C-alpha cells in the first residue's frame, strides 16, 4: 500500500495565518499529490511533486518532499476562509492506484 | 473542456433498494476509477477501468456492487441491494495516462436509511 497519512487530523487557524500539514508514506514513490475537498464537493487536484523534486510552488501553496524520510508537507500561506477544506495526500509508484489517508481538516476563521 | 461529471449528486434510498450511480469521464480519458469515502474514514479505491475492461477491481467490497463501462465511455456503479454501511460519497476519476494526475468528479453522496 502506498497510503499517505496526514498530520494533523484537524487544524484551526485565523485568516492570514499560514497552515502547514504533513504527510507520510510507506514505500518508494514516483510522485506524490495533494488534493483538497471542500464540504459537499469533489476532490480538487492541487499539486504534484515528483520523487526527484524537493520543493514545488503553486500560488500560495508550497509543497516539500523528503524521500529519505518518506514525508511531504503542504504549506498554505496567507490563508483565506475559502481554504477551509479537507486536504489529502496520495502517492503512487507507477502502477498502483491512488490511496488516500483520512486527511487533514483545515478550518480558517475570518 | 468539461470535467468529470457524476449523477446524481445526492441519492437517498432505503435499505434493500437498488441505486445506480453514473460517471462521465473527461473525453478521451481511457482510465476511469471509482473511489468511496465512508463517513470519517479514508477515501478507498474501488476499481479501475481501462476503456471498457476492468483493470483492477480489488477494492470492490462485495458482490452487491457491480460496475460497468460499456463502450468505454461513461461508467455506472450499481449497488443492489443497498445496506446501511454503503452510505458515503462515491467519487469517480479519470486520467489519460494510467496513474497520472487523476481528475475527480464532484462525487455522489449516497445515504441509505
Amino acid at each position: 500500500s502506498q497510503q499517505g497519512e496526514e498530520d494533523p487530523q484537524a487544524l484551526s487557524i485565523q485568516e492570514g495565518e499560514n497552515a502547514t500539514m504533513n504527510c507520510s508514506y510507506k514505500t518508494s514513490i514516483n510522485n506524490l499529490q495533494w488534493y483538497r475537498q471542500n464540504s459537499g464537493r469533489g476532490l480538487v487536484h492541487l499539486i504534484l511533486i515528483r520523487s526527484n523534486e524537493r520543493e514545488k510552488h503553486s500560488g500560495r501553496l508550497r509543497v516539500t518532499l523528503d524521500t529519505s524520510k518518506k514525508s511531504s508537507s503542504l504549506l498554505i500561506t496567507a490563508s483565506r476562509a475559502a481554504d477551509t477544506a479537507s486536504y489529502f495526500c496520495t502517492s503512487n509508484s507507477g502502477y498502483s492506484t491512488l490511496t488516500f489517508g483520512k486527511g487533514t481538516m483545515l478550518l480558517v476563521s475570518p | 473542456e468539461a470535467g468529470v461529471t457524476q449523477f446524481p449528486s445526492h441519492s437517498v434510498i432505503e435499505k434493500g433498494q437498488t441505486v445506480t450511480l453514473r460517471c462521465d469521464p473527461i473525453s478521451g480519458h481511457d482510465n476511469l476509477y471509482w473511489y468511496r469515502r465512508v463517513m470519517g474514514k479514508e477515501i478507498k479505491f474501488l476499481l479501475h477501468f481501462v476503456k471498457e475492461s476492468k483493470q483492477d477491481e480489488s477494492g470492490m467490497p462485495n458482490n452487491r456492487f457491480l460496475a460497468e463501462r460499456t463502450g468505454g465511455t461513461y461508467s455506472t456503479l450499481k449497488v443492489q441491494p443497498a445496506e446501511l454501511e454503503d452510505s458515503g460519497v462515491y467519487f469517480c476519476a479519470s486520467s489519460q495516462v494510467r496513474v497520472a494526475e487523476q481528475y475527480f468528479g464532484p462525487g455522489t453522496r449516497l445515504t441509505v436509511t
Side-chain angles (χ1 to χ4, degrees):
Chain A
S1 169
Q2 299 289 333
Q3 185 169 3
E5 294 289 343
E6 295 87 355
D7 168 60
Q9 291 187 351
L11 182 60
S12 182
I13 60 174
Q14 299 289 318
E15 265 192 327
E17 294 182 335
N18 295 342
T20 300
M21 52 203 87
N22 305 295
C23 165
S24 61
Y25 56 92
K26 296 181 179 178
T27 61
S28 60
I29 60 172
N30 283 358
N31 61 65
L32 184 141
Q33 305 179 61
W34 285 90
Y35 286 82
R36 180 187 71 211
Q37 183 191 9
N38 293 87
S39 178
R41 299 186 181 181
L43 289 162
V44 174
H45 183 267
L46 295 177
I47 197 165
L48 180 152
I49 185 166
R50 302 190 190 283
S51 59
N52 60 354
E53 298 176 309
R54 291 296 167 259
E55 187 171 310
K56 201 163 183 178
H57 296 255
S58 177
R60 294 184 295 111
L61 305 180
R62 172 177 165 252
V63 169
T64 61
L65 180 64
D66 187 335
T67 53
S68 66
K69 295 181 180 178
K70 293 186 171 56
S71 67
S72 172
S73 68
L74 171 66
L75 168 67
I76 304 173
T77 60
S79 63
R80 305 167 182 169
D83 295 328
T84 294
S86 291
Y87 291 82
F88 300 89
C89 75
T90 183
S91 57
N92 69 73
S93 59
Y95 291 94
S96 61
T97 54
L98 300 183
T99 309
F100 295 83
K102 292 184 180 180
T104 291
M105 190 177 301
L106 174 66
L107 173 62
V108 182
S109 302
Chain B
E1 178 184 316
V4 177
T5 58
Q6 293 186 244
F7 181 84
S9 58
H10 192 185
S11 179
V12 181
I13 61 172
E14 293 183 353
K15 176 182 173 181
Q17 290 185 322
T18 298
V19 63
T20 300
L21 314 180
R22 172 171 171 147
C23 167
D24 286 76
I26 293 173
S27 178
H29 282 193
D30 288 341
N31 294 279
L32 186 149
Y33 312 81
W34 283 98
Y35 295 84
R36 175 175 75 168
R37 186 183 189 195
V38 173
M39 183 65 69
K41 296 192 176 181
E42 300 90 344
I43 298 170
K44 292 280 195 181
F45 163 78
L46 295 179
L47 88 159
H48 170 207
F49 283 100
V50 177
K51 297 185 179 179
E52 68 275 11
S53 300
K54 292 176 184 175
Q55 185 74 18
D56 181 355
E57 51 183 330
S58 60
M60 294 287 266
N62 51 61
N63 58 11
R64 295 185 293 104
F65 290 75
L66 175 63
E68 295 181 322
R69 194 184 180 194
T70 306
T73 54
Y74 71 90
S75 174
T76 58
L77 179 64
K78 181 191 287 187
V79 185
Q80 179 183 28
E83 298 289 345
L84 298 177
E85 63 264 26
D86 300 332
S87 295
V89 181
Y90 289 77
F91 293 103
C92 174
S94 72
S95 67
Q96 198 165 29
V97 177
R98 183 160 51 168
V99 305
E101 178 184 327
Q102 294 183 20
Y103 295 85
F104 281 78
T108 292
R109 182 173 295 278
L110 174 64
T111 302
V112 182
T113 62

